[in-house]
Amino acid sequence: MNAWAVPGYTESLELGSGASGRVVLAVHEESGLPVAVKYLSESLRTRPGFVHEFRAEARLLGGLESPYVAGLYEYVESPDGAAIVMELVDGVSLRALLAERGPLDPEAALVILKGSLLGLADAHRIGVVHRDYKPENVLVVPDGSSKLVDFGIAVDTGTSVGVAGTPSYMAPEQWTGAPASPTADVYAATATFFECLTGHKPYSGDNIAELALRHVDAPVPADEVPEPVRALVRRGLAKDPEERPTHAEAFVSDLEAAAGSAYGPDWEERGRGRLAALVALLPLLLPSARKAPQTTTDTARTVLAQAAGHGPARSWLPGRPGMLVSAAAVLLGILLTYAAQHARAADPQQTAQALATTSAQPGVTSQGPTASTSPSHASPTVTASPSLSPSGPPSPDTTGTSDPSTSATTTPSGGTTSGGATPDASPTTASPTAPTAPAVKDVAVSAFRQTGPSTASATIDITTDGTGPISITVSWFTSDSAGVLSIPDGAPQTYERSGATQYSLAVDHTFQNKGCYWAVQATTTPAATSGSASQQLLTRQCDLR
């Protein structure tokens, strides 16, 4: 197991673990705030695709502000690990609740469905599809409310990313690799609702192929649920996505109408009370009730020093986590190799200060903590192809060429290193040698999306075999034909990078020319082994038939 721990936090115990990593309970040392820290597993951390997806999850959470979703405080990455610091939800997973207490009555099940649907609705509103809604990813807190967690495979609406999800809750179109759609989340939420009511999943099979066929062809088992909610189940589990509610918010309206008609105006209050009573019967499953073993052995760790000028502890309390989104992917790669190269020579504090960390803007307080991430998954998530990173607000350029309108704040937890040169034991010094330009192994364009009538954003990812300087040139085009980079739109943008082997660059552009298609192209100097990379989209201004 990787012993790396996020500096500045004291960890107490592991809340859960799985193939992708582990979640631990921790306390922010400066403020005393309990948090949940999600670590990317050591085996995946060495694979760039998974690291990019982990960063994308943090970037997505930073842009999603919802009382029904566990919020993001901070994303931290160093040469030794990567971690997402999240709001600690002091709750019980719906999976554990069902395992301990069996099926729920309709009012309690409706409350669960409504709460998590509201979390999905906030995600759908910003163009994000969760893709992995299931009982493990719904947490019920002591007051009977619920929160949605784990956006690990979430993507932008309309993104084609192959087959991914948890088989028992995957919509028919997910099995075919259709573009991500909010209607697939509606299907998964309804399948979970069915399980809450009946104690079993809507479809079963002896193998994945049989399970897929049942989701695609088998009749909706609506007769197994109480009559007042059968119409909800039929619509939510419809085989044709066009027959389901188009997004979670629309499904909430249907739910409230059905629940009010069948169970009266007080259905939600009664359902929440029953859930609260069930959680009260499971106190030892709450993170707040779990204690770390008293016989654990202390492990060495480096904690970042407090930066000069920091105010009292309360100034750290995270708020408006969207402030971190802009910096989440860009700063990371630049500092990582620096930390690795200088770890031997630098003292521990200087080494710690080379850690890349992006966090919510200090000095803005938020609501207190409520939630943890889900413990280990009983239902494994399958992913046949890596998901593209959901796009967020433009990330600032760490060399000072960023868009001044970006409102993100990047805050390394430690102070700055000395501006003077380190004394040399030798009386003479050698002239510095100019770094050699590395070979560019790969350049890729992802998360290309239209953000307004004439604006778009994209993410450029570059992998090299060394830390020497490279140039990245980003060009924009318009066209009336698919697959053609026709008319250049504005001057290309060139960015200089060095000091790392991986870079992630978020860029945006305002288009001046007319054209049904927009495209972005990225080239590097030295040239990448794969040549240039480009991506094209059909704008919302054109309807081609």
Side-chain angles (χ1 to χ4, degrees):
M1 177 184 295
N2 185 10
W4 178 74
V6 179
Y9 296 86
T10 300
E11 298 178 0
S12 57
L13 75 160
E14 187 172 285
L15 296 174
S17 63
S20 62
R22 59 194 179 94
V23 178
V24 301
L25 177 64
V27 173
H28 182 246
E29 293 167 355
E30 185 179 345
S31 66
L33 184 74
V35 298
V37 183
K38 179 179 180 180
Y39 287 99
L40 183 64
S41 74
E42 177 67 15
S43 61
L44 299 184
R45 189 182 62 80
T46 58
R47 301 166 66 179
F50 286 96
V51 176
H52 290 166
E53 291 178 7
F54 199 60
R55 292 175 189 163
E57 180 182 358
R59 192 161 60 238
L60 182 154
L61 287 173
L64 176 58
E65 295 187 52
S66 170
Y68 308 101
V69 175
L72 171 74
Y73 289 159
E74 190 170 29
Y75 176 67
V76 183
E77 187 174 318
S78 86
D80 299 314
I84 297 173
V85 182
M86 293 172 290
E87 175 188 7
L88 177 71
V89 181
D90 193 27
V92 176
S93 78
L94 178 57
R95 169 64 66 212
L97 196 66
L98 293 176
E100 292 288 337
R101 297 295 162 184
L104 305 177
D105 66 72
E107 290 171 327
L110 285 163
V111 168
I112 289 284
L113 179 61
K114 178 180 176 179
S116 44
L117 278 175
L118 289 171
L120 287 176
D122 288 333
H124 294 168
R125 200 170 292 115
I126 64 170
V128 170
V129 179
H130 188 283
R131 295 203 304 159
D132 200 20
Y133 183 111
K134 57 187 176 184
E136 289 84 349
N137 291 340
V138 177
L139 300 179
V140 185
V141 299
D143 69 357
S145 60
S146 60
K147 288 208 176 192
L148 184 61
V149 297
D150 200 345
F151 281 74
I153 62 170
V155 295
D156 289 341
T157 300
T159 302
S160 296
V161 287
V163 179
T166 299
S168 293
Y169 308 93
M170 285 166 57
E173 64 272 18
Q174 275 183 279
W175 291 95
T176 64
S181 166
T183 57
D185 283 347
V186 167
Y187 185 97
T190 309
T192 299
F193 177 56
F194 179 95
E195 188 171 352
C196 288
L197 292 168
T198 65
H200 62 84
K201 303 172 180 64
Y203 303 109
S204 61
D206 294 333
N207 51 59
I208 293 292
E210 183 180 350
L211 184 59
L213 287 174
R214 290 184 179 275
H215 277 280
V216 172
D217 293 327
V220 176
D223 291 344
E224 296 185 41
V225 303
E227 193 279 331
V229 295
R230 287 176 185 171
L232 285 177
V233 170
R234 288 192 186 97
R235 191 172 181 212
L237 290 180
K239 306 300 180 185
D240 185 348
E242 293 186 1
E243 295 178 7
R244 297 179 220 136
T246 55
H247 46 72
E249 190 172 10
F251 201 27
V252 170
S253 299
D254 293 347
L255 181 155
E256 289 178 327
S261 175
Y263 303 108
D266 298 329
W267 69 270
E268 191 167 1
E269 182 179 351
R270 291 193 301 272
R272 184 170 295 189
R274 287 168 185 154
L275 287 170
L278 291 175
V279 173
L281 295 173
L282 304 171
L284 296 181
L285 295 182
L286 296 173
S288 60
R290 298 164 65 183
K291 303 296 183 182
Q294 299 302 309
T295 57
T296 54
T297 302
D298 288 340
T299 55
R301 56 176 288 164
T302 303
V303 178
L304 296 184
Q306 180 176 345
H310 273 197
R314 68 176 182 274
S315 68
W316 179 87
L317 291 178
R320 298 197 58 80
M323 291 296 186
L324 114 85
V325 178
S326 306
V330 176
L331 177 64
L332 304 172
I334 295 176
L335 295 177
L336 298 186
T337 301
Y338 174 86
Q341 290 176 335
H342 294 268
R344 296 185 182 87
D347 61 58
Q349 182 169 335
Q350 289 175 321
T351 300
Q353 288 163 348
L355 184 83
T357 174
T358 55
S359 67
Q361 185 179 32
V364 182
T365 60
S366 76
Q367 297 176 353
T370 50
S372 118
T373 65
S374 58
S376 57
H377 292 176
S379 302
T381 300
V382 296
T383 306
S385 63
S387 58
L388 296 177
S389 300
S391 63
S395 298
D397 179 10
T398 56
T399 61
T401 58
S402 63
D403 183 345
S405 65
T406 10
S407 58
T409 302
T410 303
T411 59
S413 300
T416 57
T417 56
S418 170
T422 303
D424 196 325
S426 169
T428 59
T429 57
S431 301
T433 302
T436 303
V440 179
K441 298 164 64 177
D442 184 59
V443 57
V445 177
S446 64
F448 184 33
R449 61 182 295 185
Q450 183 176 358
T451 57
S454 60
T455 57
S457 65
T459 300
I460 314 297
D461 296 313
I462 303 97
T463 302
T464 70
D465 68 354
T467 60
I470 63 168
S471 297
I472 306 106
T473 300
V474 181
S475 305
W476 306 86
F477 301 87
T478 59
S479 176
D480 289 324
S481 302
V484 177
L485 302 180
S486 181
I487 303 172
D489 191 274
Q493 301 159 282
T494 300
Y495 303 87
E496 304 295 331
R497 292 291 184 269
S498 63
T501 58
Q502 293 179 1
Y503 306 94
S504 185
L505 184 70
V507 293
D508 57 11
H509 182 71
T510 299
F511 284 87
Q512 305 297 324
N513 299 329
K514 301 294 184 181
C516 286
Y517 292 91
W518 293 348
V520 57
Q521 182 183 51
T523 57
T524 61
T525 304
T529 303
S530 57
S532 63
S534 63
Q535 197 171 124
Q536 187 181 61
L537 61 80
L538 174 63
T539 72
R540 295 193 291 265
Q541 302 169 355
C542 295
D543 183 13
L544 304 182
R545 300 183 185 276

